[in-house]
Amino acid sequence: MNYKIGLKLWSLNENYIVPAIDLFEREVYDYIELYAVPNSLEMLPKWKTLAKEHKIKFAIHAPHFSSGLDFSNPNKLKHNLMLCDEVKRYSNELEALYTVFHPGIGGSLNESIRQMKMVQNLKFAMENKPYIVPMNSGEAFCIGADFNSIARILDEVGCEFCLDAGHALCSANYQGLNPYEYIAKLNELNPKIYHISDNDENAKLDAHMHFGDGSIDLARVLKLLRGGEFLAIETIKDSKENLDDFAVDCKNLRELA
């Protein structure tokens, strides 16, 4: 496998630090993609210790809609930029391999582009989204869920691209497109980063199933994800004490490649 494999953790996941060190030393994965939970900077020194003492590399995933960052909402501009400042702290102090943002949910593409262009002094990538996400009031439409919107963001913002294969499959199913052909088309946008998990092949809503628990043809997907450098595994964690399920997912993924 030509990718560097990433372990997805949250900045508050102190409970996974010891097993993460163990799996890294066993060369199960190559880096940690850390979701920077808002107001969690007190945890940053613990992750810096992993970087310094254990030589673990980090990438950063910025907060998204569920954590309060929504570039598509003009009323949240000040709050969004405040959260971006926290993301910069994580990215700079951990010397991040990359930093990923979601474009937003429920607002306008123009506003997402406007606000993303305001993120200064930080090289980042945008991640494609499913077409819809469930909300308390029903469903909301995502920014960056179709090819033309993604291409426009990349062009006008000047950022890199993170191709989430699971998001792409859900979006394609909603649009009535062949999901594998849609993933291949998105790969033409030269992503540097990939995210992957399993799901029902016909799903329209995102899930983060373990490999083999869904029906996606993962071997076929991996053949489509060519040209990027990083691949973060975004499957669920079954235990709060260990990362054994992640180790199994890594093994299964490597056997498919």
Side-chain angles (χ1 to χ4, degrees):
M1 182 175 285
N2 295 323
Y3 320 108
K4 293 180 175 65
I5 300 297
L7 163 64
K8 182 69 171 286
L9 295 180
W10 271 246
S11 56
L12 296 178
N13 282 153
E14 187 174 6
N15 54 309
Y16 290 135
I17 286 179
V18 171
I21 292 170
D22 175 61
L23 292 183
F24 182 77
E25 291 178 345
R26 288 161 48 193
E27 300 183 346
V28 172
Y29 69 95
D30 301 297
Y31 70 98
I32 293 174
E33 183 180 289
L34 194 68
Y35 183 94
V37 177
N39 304 311
S40 68
L41 287 172
E42 75 280 357
M43 286 294 298
L44 184 52
K46 295 181 183 295
W47 300 112
K48 289 176 69 175
T49 296
L50 268 68
K52 182 178 180 180
E53 295 185 3
H54 300 278
K55 310 303 180 186
I56 299 177
K57 299 291 186 182
F58 282 85
I60 299 300
H61 196 303
H64 46 56
F65 178 85
S66 64
S67 298
L69 198 160
D70 181 3
F71 287 127
S72 74
N73 187 338
N75 298 321
K76 301 194 74 171
L77 173 60
K78 183 177 179 180
H79 181 68
N80 290 339
L81 294 179
M82 180 190 72
L83 293 181
C84 288
D85 286 339
E86 293 185 8
V87 171
K88 290 177 191 178
R89 282 280 305 277
Y90 269 101
S91 295
N92 291 336
E93 295 194 31
L94 289 172
E95 300 180 2
L97 298 166
Y98 60 80
T99 302
V100 174
F101 283 93
H102 288 190
I105 293 176
S108 76
L109 174 61
N110 287 341
E111 182 63 22
S112 291
I113 291 172
R114 184 180 80 90
Q115 291 196 26
M116 293 176 82
K117 290 169 72 173
M118 292 183 181
V119 181
Q120 300 296 316
N121 303 314
L122 179 65
K123 187 176 182 179
F124 64 89
M126 65 82 53
E127 179 180 340
N128 63 294
K129 294 293 295 168
Y131 215 89
I132 54 172
V133 292
M135 304 285 287
N136 292 334
S137 57
E139 296 174 341
F141 290 90
C142 299
I143 307 300
D146 65 273
F147 182 88
N148 290 337
S149 295
I150 295 165
R152 186 178 162 200
I153 292 171
L154 297 177
D155 179 57
E156 296 189 26
V157 177
C159 56
E160 295 179 324
F161 182 35
C162 170
L163 198 173
D164 187 305
H167 289 177
L169 176 135
C170 292
S171 177
N173 286 332
Y174 187 89
Q175 296 179 75
L177 304 174
N178 179 290
Y180 301 102
E181 292 177 0
Y182 185 63
I183 291 170
K185 185 173 178 64
L186 289 182
N187 202 63
E188 295 174 2
L189 295 173
N190 300 315
K192 176 181 179 181
I193 308 138
Y194 300 114
H195 287 172
I196 192 167
S197 56
D198 209 342
N199 199 350
D200 183 327
E201 189 179 56
N202 300 308
K204 296 178 182 177
L205 297 178
D206 191 26
H208 294 275
M209 297 178 183
H210 295 300
F211 301 131
D213 287 354
S215 56
I216 296 176
D217 187 342
L218 293 165
R220 183 177 178 184
V221 169
L222 289 173
K223 290 179 181 178
L224 300 174
L225 303 182
R226 295 300 182 192
E229 184 176 356
F230 304 100
L231 188 150
I233 294 174
E234 291 199 316
T235 50
I236 59 174
K237 308 291 191 297
D238 293 332
S239 169
K240 295 187 182 301
E241 287 76 41
N242 63 67
L243 293 168
D244 295 351
D245 55 339
F246 170 76
V248 172
D249 281 329
C250 282
K251 179 177 181 293
N252 290 340
L253 192 71
R254 292 181 190 277
E255 289 176 351
L256 287 169

